[in-house]
Amino acid sequence: MTLQDRDKKHLWHPLTQHKLHPETIAITKAKDCVLYDENGNEYIDAIASWYTCMYGHCNEYITSCVATQMQQLDQVVFSGFTHEPAIKLSEALIKILPDNQNKIFFSDNGSTSVEIGIKMALQFHFNKGEKRNTLIAFEDGFHGDTFGAMSVSGLSVYNGPFEDFFLEVKRIPTPNGENNEAILNTLNAIVETNKVAGFVYEPLVQGAAAMKMYNSEGLNAILELCKKHGIVTVADEVMTGFGKTGDYFASLHIDTKPDIMCLSKALTGGLLPMALTTCSEKIYEAFYSNDISKGLFHGHTYSANPLACTAALASIELLQSEVIQQNIKAVIASHKAFNKRIKTHPKVKSTRQTGIIFALDLNIEMTRYGNLRDKLFKFFLDHGVFLRPLGSTIYIQAPYTITKEQLQKIYQVIEDVLEIV
């Protein structure tokens, strides 16, 4: 039996209705920017496997560092113990994070990093003797699949069955430069009539909302208003973090820095699962007490796993290297050149770019997971490129190590698909 056939016996895949989509592609190998399936087909990984493998698959520097570490220390409880990989990672991270970030809390994935950020925001006020029970979030945001993260997410396609169980959340539109003042008026009204604990947001780019990009000045004004009213700001940089917006973090493009940041995905270069929730000293101080009940009682078995910490440290070293920084600049320039020739195509409704993230909207009405979307997905795979359309949006978020030739193939297959839709 093939791997594909064996898969069907027991496996339940994410974001999949198996009755409609019973087939999976069995990947047997990955190297640099290419995936290889069991039939010998090759696919350029144009989305870095959900934005994780930004330094290429099986990066030899990352894997060699982890191979060395696994001979020394594989896993140890992080409650009451510590270890050098976690300490070195914290020291490296603090150097590149916004300068108000000072404490780092470990978990396992992007959703849990947001869950912890929400708990920090709510307990921050609780510990100070003030009960605040409302959160603010953007419309169409996505922050993960655990309950707190779902609560602040606005994409009902993922959340429908669970909405009756959510935290109290008020939603505001993303700023576009024209609605900035109206949003501030709405926000003021929410603050006046609710006890707002925190504001959770994806800075500059909303990933699952089809790479929706919005106005940085408007976001800064929102953050300033939150700061004025003592609302804890939580930046979900699970997708945008570690170089994708052209700087180490999207929050570095914005004058007003978040109180809390949520990080995962590219954190370990795609090698191992790990996440971080970082915060300012002000947030941490609200938990620092002789009263044990004021501590943050949240923990994961694999928190600060030494191997994952080592992968993350190696990834940060690569991110800061001259080679990767030059590659990022080259990808940004290449996307801009592609945009010039594609944006006027009659089948293209709009285009947008932030850093190495490029997206275009087709001038066609289609559902997020409908037949036409599936047709596009299959076309890309049949032509050796792994692109995963979000409804009518086609986006690129390839590894920083992608070659010029591979980028051109991605562009070409997008141009080719416009002729069949």
Side-chain angles (χ1 to χ4, degrees), residues 13 74 110 178 193 211 219 247 262 281 283 342 359 394:
H13 291 265
D74 52 356
E178 296 180 0
T193 56
M211 301 301 159
L219 174 59
D247 208 333
C262 309
E281 191 68 23
I283 298 299
I342 199 72
I394 300 170

Side-chain angles (χ1 to χ4, degrees), residues 147-148 150-151 159-168:
F147 265 87
M150 282 195 298
S151 295
N159 300 337
F162 313 106
E163 289 179 349
D164 290 344
F165 308 99
F166 285 175
L167 300 170
E168 182 66 29

Side-chain angles (χ1 to χ4, degrees), residues 174-236:
T174 51
N176 59 24
E178 296 180 0
N179 64 353
N180 293 10
E181 188 172 347
I183 292 172
L184 292 179
N185 291 336
T186 300
L187 191 54
N188 272 314
I190 292 172
V191 172
E192 287 176 6
T193 56
N194 296 272
K195 295 179 179 179
V196 180
F199 168 50
V200 184
Y201 62 100
E202 297 163 272
L204 300 185
V205 186
Q206 293 181 297
M211 301 301 159
K212 181 178 180 181
M213 301 174 188
Y214 64 92
N215 181 262
S216 60
E217 290 80 7
L219 174 59
N220 192 68
I222 292 168
L223 296 176
E224 281 291 307
L225 194 150
C226 288
K227 184 177 180 180
K228 175 182 175 182
H229 292 282
I231 298 168
V232 176
T233 54
V234 183
D236 176 356

Side-chain angles (χ1 to χ4, degrees), residues 135-420:
L135 298 167
I136 296 171
F138 281 135
E139 296 169 356
D140 297 329
F142 178 75
H143 301 281
D145 297 319
T146 52
F147 265 87
M150 282 195 298
S151 295
V152 291
S153 298
L155 292 172
S156 61
V157 66
Y158 300 116
N159 300 337
F162 313 106
E163 289 179 349
D164 290 344
F165 308 99
F166 285 175
L167 300 170
E168 182 66 29
V169 178
K170 303 295 182 183
R171 305 195 189 284
I172 59 175
T174 51
N176 59 24
E178 296 180 0
N179 64 353
N180 293 10
E181 188 172 347
I183 292 172
L184 292 179
N185 291 336
T186 300
L187 191 54
N188 272 314
I190 292 172
V191 172
E192 287 176 6
T193 56
N194 296 272
K195 295 179 179 179
V196 180
F199 168 50
V200 184
Y201 62 100
E202 297 163 272
L204 300 185
V205 186
Q206 293 181 297
M211 301 301 159
K212 181 178 180 181
M213 301 174 188
Y214 64 92
N215 181 262
S216 60
E217 290 80 7
L219 174 59
N220 192 68
I222 292 168
L223 296 176
E224 281 291 307
L225 194 150
C226 288
K227 184 177 180 180
K228 175 182 175 182
H229 292 282
I231 298 168
V232 176
T233 54
V234 183
D236 176 356
E237 293 229 30
V238 169
M239 189 274 287
T240 54
F242 301 101
K244 299 190 188 82
T245 62
D247 208 333
Y248 293 142
F249 302 98
S251 294
L252 292 172
H253 295 283
I254 302 154
D255 291 338
T256 305
K257 302 302 183 278
D259 298 305
I260 294 169
M261 293 178 66
C262 309
L263 309 170
S264 189
K265 290 196 181 290
L267 169 63
T268 64
L271 188 64
L272 291 164
M274 189 170 73
L276 304 170
T277 307
T278 73
C279 69
S280 66
E281 191 68 23
K282 174 185 174 182
I283 298 299
Y284 177 77
E285 284 176 355
F287 295 78
Y288 189 74
S289 172
N290 289 322
D291 183 351
I292 193 171
S293 68
K294 288 189 175 183
L296 179 62
F297 279 82
H298 185 112
H300 292 252
T301 302
Y302 283 92
S303 290
N305 171 259
L307 306 183
C309 288
T310 300
L313 184 60
S315 296
I316 291 171
E317 290 173 9
L318 290 173
L319 176 64
Q320 293 179 286
S321 70
E322 183 64 23
V323 170
I324 292 298
Q325 286 301 309
Q326 289 303 316
N327 286 0
I328 289 172
K329 291 176 183 177
V331 172
I332 291 171
S334 185
H335 284 347
K336 288 180 179 178
F338 174 58
N339 182 59
K340 284 184 179 179
R341 75 172 189 255
I342 199 72
K343 65 181 180 181
T344 56
H345 193 287
K347 296 284 184 68
V348 174
K349 182 178 180 180
S350 61
T351 62
R352 55 196 172 276
Q353 179 181 357
T354 297
I356 61 99
I357 307 167
F358 177 84
L360 65 84
D361 296 322
L362 297 174
N363 199 14
I364 300 169
E365 291 297 323
M366 55 191 288
T367 57
R368 189 177 184 90
Y369 292 112
N371 291 334
L372 183 51
R373 180 266 178 196
D374 294 341
K375 181 180 179 182
L376 296 177
F377 182 62
K378 184 177 185 303
F379 181 91
F380 294 139
L381 289 178
D382 288 345
H383 289 79
V385 176
F386 174 39
L387 284 166
R388 200 169 183 276
L390 292 168
S392 60
T393 300
I394 300 170
Y395 71 92
I396 306 168
Q397 198 174 144
Y400 303 139
T401 53
I402 195 157
T403 67
K404 292 179 181 178
E405 293 75 20
Q406 289 169 331
L407 265 180
Q408 291 308 313
K409 183 172 181 178
I410 294 169
Y411 299 150
Q412 187 60 57
V413 78
I414 291 173
E415 291 181 275
D416 290 344
V417 86
L418 296 177
E419 304 308 315
I420 69 164

Side-chain angles (χ1 to χ4, degrees), residues 114-127:
V114 174
E115 203 79 9
I116 293 162
I118 290 170
K119 291 174 77 171
M120 284 180 176
L122 293 170
Q123 191 176 342
F124 171 83
H125 298 289
F126 181 87
N127 283 359

